[in-house]
Amino acid sequence: MKKRIMESYYGLMPLILVLLGLIIMPGGCKTDEQGCHVKTIKGPEKDITGKWKLIKGQTVFYNPQTIDYSCDNIIYHFESDGRLKIDSDIEDIIGFDSGEYTYEFSMSVLYENIEEKFTLKINDIQLPCNISRSDLIIDDSPLDGPILHLVRIK
């Protein structure tokens, strides 16, 4: 009798170990979805000048996707003289390529019935956007464009 109990115990042991492994393993791994920590600063509200880091890009219509850029170094530097410099350590990003652009920021709504209260013009492209003390969202999705999420870093 004792031998039969021991045999069934050892027969179940591999199954128990596999089940425990499946339960414990997902909680112990860090995934890429968590991204990298980005230190942000608070700046003046309604002022876009300064350095902003692109942390996420989204496309919502053709080939919908969300890409986490928090571990990359994609910097939008809005200068007070109306120049925008974009530097990136990677290629093929959602949004604007590295380079120098002109920009205008206005506190006017570009389209009716959207959340974005401001307009950002980069070169000749007008984009709806929202800005807070530490966040900038450029949302061109009303015209099938991307949504860019940036945080203020300087």
Side-chain angles (χ1 to χ4, degrees):
M1 176 78 164
K2 192 174 186 179
K3 186 177 179 184
R4 198 177 298 164
I5 292 173
M6 292 301 287
E7 285 174 359
S8 58
Y9 174 74
Y10 287 119
L12 289 175
M13 185 57 90
L15 179 62
I16 293 169
L17 291 174
V18 168
L19 289 174
L20 281 173
L22 290 174
I23 292 169
I24 294 170
M25 194 169 75
C29 295
K30 182 176 179 179
T31 65
D32 291 336
E33 295 171 1
Q34 295 174 348
C36 293
H37 176 72
V38 177
K39 184 174 177 167
T40 63
I41 64 164
K42 293 189 187 298
E45 284 191 28
K46 302 177 184 173
D47 183 6
I48 201 168
T49 56
K51 289 188 178 181
W52 299 80
K53 179 179 173 102
L54 180 65
I55 58 168
K56 181 170 61 169
Q58 294 175 270
T59 57
V60 293
F61 291 100
Y62 178 75
N63 189 22
Q65 61 183 325
T66 299
I67 298 178
D68 180 359
Y69 292 117
S70 63
C71 298
D72 299 308
N73 198 24
I74 305 166
I75 307 299
Y76 283 53
H77 185 188
F78 292 93
E79 298 179 357
S80 59
D81 64 358
R83 287 186 302 150
L84 167 61
K85 292 181 182 176
I86 300 176
D87 293 311
S88 175
D89 61 347
I90 63 171
E91 294 182 15
D92 297 325
I93 57 175
I94 294 174
F96 293 89
D97 292 329
S98 293
E100 195 166 311
Y101 304 86
T102 58
Y103 83 91
E104 293 175 25
F105 178 72
S106 63
M107 295 180 203
S108 61
V109 176
L110 185 58
Y111 306 117
E112 292 183 27
N113 302 320
I114 62 169
E115 291 182 29
E116 290 71 32
K117 300 175 180 124
F118 305 104
T119 299
L120 176 61
K121 183 178 178 184
I122 298 178
N123 282 351
D124 293 325
I125 303 168
Q126 292 193 30
L127 305 160
C129 68
N130 266 338
I131 188 171
S132 69
R133 293 184 68 196
S134 60
D135 297 299
L136 172 63
I137 298 174
I138 303 170
D139 186 352
D140 197 26
S141 64
L143 295 178
D144 299 343
I147 303 171
L148 307 176
H149 299 262
L150 298 97
V151 293
R152 190 185 305 258
I153 58 169
K154 191 170 181 183

